[in-house]
Amino acid sequence: MTAIAVTAFVVAYLLIATERIHKTKAALGGAAIVLAAGVLDSGEAFFSHDTGIDWDVILLLFGMMIIVGVLRQTGVFEFTAIWAAKRAKGSPVRVMILLVLITAVASAFLDNVTTVLLVAPVTLLVCDRLGIKPTPFLIAEVLASNIGGAATMIGDPPNIIVASRSGLSFNDFLIHMTPIVAIEFAVFTLILPRLFRGSFDADPDRIADVMAVDEREAIRDRPLLVKCGVVLLAVFTGFVGHSVLHVDPAVMALLGAGVLVLISGTEPEDYLSGVEWETLLFFAGLFVMVGALVKTGVVEAMARWAADATGGNALLAVMLILVVSALLSGIIDNIPYVATMSPLVADLAGGIDNRVHADALWWSLTLGSDFGGNLTAVGASANVVMLGIAARSGSPISFWEFTRKGAVVTAITIVVAAPYLWLRYFVFN
């Protein structure tokens, strides 16, 4: 069974990476193989918390996609696009920096998938107005979302898993993660012009046209915009306060979508047009394949090997977890990786007397998995969603186009994170 699970995953991954067939077909094909071979049964594939499809992720995406579909009818994305372009005085470099800043800050307080769903339509409109290719901007934003999402407990799904398993609080994340994320984002901003050089040539006439437009005229339905604003505020409040309200983010998104559909009077073809069905099916297939690796012990064996290789040295354990987490999270998606690795980190931390050093293991896992999500196009949920949006907009991003940029950013962020962990928890603890 292990051989079947590994073979199905590797073949599907190679097909996705080489783009020989569409990624959704590859993921569903791999899932079909492990189900047909009996590696997983229907209960394990569809209902198990450990090996099944993560319906919280699927339904959170579905709910937010419907909300975005309704919001698109108001013209607010056009308004924001023109506003951003005018504030940046039409400079593509300044537009990119402004958009990645918005994305990173928003990702710290919303989950990064929600942020990508809201920012991507704005980006497509900005680039269309300026006559520039949107793919570099979309890639930069999703990289920024994975960096910014690391700042808080609710910013990225792996952080929520770490907080649950370690007992670390929302304030602990603010104190320990926000400083390094601020440093990482500053470095990321500095490398943007070089990372995407050749992508900032805009038509001067298009810039002049944008500067002459009154962005307020882009709003087509003000009453609907007010309704969307109220619903979004309620949904975001639920996201931030989900630990107090005891309502999962997926439920809040579905409730918000249902209420908005009822009060907006929007036709089904309008609000369903924003649903990325191929992306949702891709996630379903990916979760099944990774679940097969979890059930057969492959993921746990890789994680345990990394943990055992430290030999009880806390600093070595922190650095090894950081690097291995970055690599594996980029390959198998950081959510199932962190879910599998957390019990092993808990065992390691329990054997370390120094509480500061023990907590450093958790921060290492968090930084490695969050930043490692940028490594490949399937390393984080936000990446997959952004690629789906890009494909539907007519500006597809290939696996390797994303990965070439993501690998550079991942390497830089891990190199910056390593001395931070060493200095903060081993030198100046």
Side-chain angles (χ1 to χ4, degrees):
M1 292 299 182
T2 300
I4 295 173
V6 172
T7 301
F9 182 84
V10 170
V11 171
Y13 197 90
L14 289 174
L15 290 173
I16 294 168
T18 57
E19 300 179 321
R20 298 293 296 272
I21 64 174
H22 193 279
K23 66 179 186 291
T24 303
K25 292 182 180 179
L28 290 178
I33 289 172
V34 299
L35 287 171
V39 180
L40 296 177
D41 59 32
S42 60
E44 292 166 327
F46 302 124
F47 305 110
S48 170
H49 178 72
D50 296 321
T51 62
I53 296 172
D54 192 332
W55 293 110
D56 285 336
V57 173
I58 300 291
L59 295 176
L60 171 64
L61 289 173
F62 179 70
M64 291 309 301
M65 285 173 179
I66 289 179
I67 292 175
V68 170
V70 177
L71 187 60
R72 187 178 287 116
Q73 310 303 315
T74 67
V76 69
F77 293 132
E78 290 89 336
F79 170 90
T80 307
I82 297 168
W83 177 88
K86 290 177 72 173
R87 291 299 174 276
K89 300 189 183 302
S91 167
V93 175
R94 288 197 289 266
V95 168
M96 177 179 281
I97 292 173
L98 178 60
L99 290 175
V100 298
L101 176 61
I102 293 171
T103 303
V105 173
S107 293
F109 298 100
L110 308 173
D111 68 280
N112 49 15
V113 171
T114 299
T115 302
V116 163
L117 285 170
L118 293 173
V119 173
V122 175
T123 304
L124 292 169
L125 289 166
V126 169
C127 293
D128 181 63
R129 289 275 184 171
L130 295 177
I132 53 181
K133 188 179 179 182
T135 51
F137 292 78
L138 295 174
I139 294 173
E141 286 162 8
V142 76
L143 296 175
S145 76
N146 289 326
I147 293 172
T152 67
M153 188 183 79
I154 61 173
D156 210 356
N159 297 13
I160 299 174
I161 298 172
V162 168
S164 173
R165 299 292 178 89
S166 66
L168 296 168
S169 68
F170 187 91
N171 289 336
D172 288 329
F173 273 82
L174 286 178
I175 294 169
H176 293 270
M177 294 293 290
T178 302
I180 180 58
V181 168
I183 296 169
E184 298 279 16
F185 183 76
V187 174
F188 175 65
T189 303
L190 290 174
I191 68 171
L192 282 177
R194 181 174 292 273
L195 188 65
F196 295 102
R197 60 182 178 273
S199 303
F200 305 110
D201 297 326
D203 185 344
D205 293 335
R206 300 286 283 272
I207 294 175
D209 290 342
V210 170
M211 298 301 293
V213 173
D214 183 356
E215 59 268 30
R216 291 172 295 184
E217 296 178 357
I219 301 298
R220 298 189 294 270
D221 192 333
R222 292 182 185 277
L224 180 57
L225 178 58
V226 172
K227 294 175 184 178
C228 290
V230 172
V231 170
L232 277 173
L233 179 61
V235 171
F236 293 162
T237 301
F239 286 172
V240 174
H242 77 278
S243 59
V244 176
L245 299 172
H246 304 292
V247 178
D248 289 334
V251 175
M252 286 302 305
L254 288 175
L255 286 173
V259 170
L260 191 54
V261 167
L262 286 175
I263 66 177
S264 68
T266 309
E267 295 297 323
E269 58 267 22
D270 292 327
Y271 62 76
L272 289 177
S273 65
V275 177
E276 303 280 344
W277 298 108
E278 289 182 351
T279 299
L280 298 180
L281 290 172
F282 171 77
F283 272 123
L286 182 64
F287 282 133
V288 171
M289 287 194 296
V290 172
L293 295 179
V294 171
K295 181 188 177 182
T296 55
V298 174
V299 175
E300 183 178 358
M302 291 188 295
R304 189 172 294 281
W305 171 85
D308 291 344
T310 62
N313 184 307
L315 177 58
L316 179 60
V318 165
M319 295 303 164
L320 188 59
I321 289 172
L322 176 69
V323 175
V324 171
S325 296
L327 293 174
L328 293 184
S329 292
I331 297 173
I332 63 172
D333 188 278
N334 52 16
I335 296 174
Y337 170 76
V338 170
T340 303
M341 189 66 177
S342 291
L344 302 179
V345 173
D347 289 342
L348 277 176
I352 298 176
D353 295 330
N354 188 314
R355 177 60 187 272
V356 175
H357 292 173
D359 285 350
L361 296 176
W362 290 111
W363 301 128
S364 177
L365 175 63
T366 305
L367 289 170
S369 60
D370 286 349
F371 296 158
N374 280 332
L375 182 61
T376 71
V378 297
S381 302
N383 306 5
V384 179
V385 172
M386 185 64 91
L387 263 66
I389 294 172
R392 283 181 58 126
S393 71
S395 302
I397 301 170
S398 73
F399 180 93
W400 290 111
E401 183 180 4
F402 181 97
T403 302
R404 281 196 299 270
K405 307 298 183 183
V408 172
V409 172
T410 298
I412 291 173
T413 50
I414 295 301
V415 166
V416 173
Y420 172 84
L421 290 168
W422 172 59
L423 290 171
R424 177 154 187 175
Y425 302 107
F426 293 90
V427 176
F428 300 113
N429 71 77

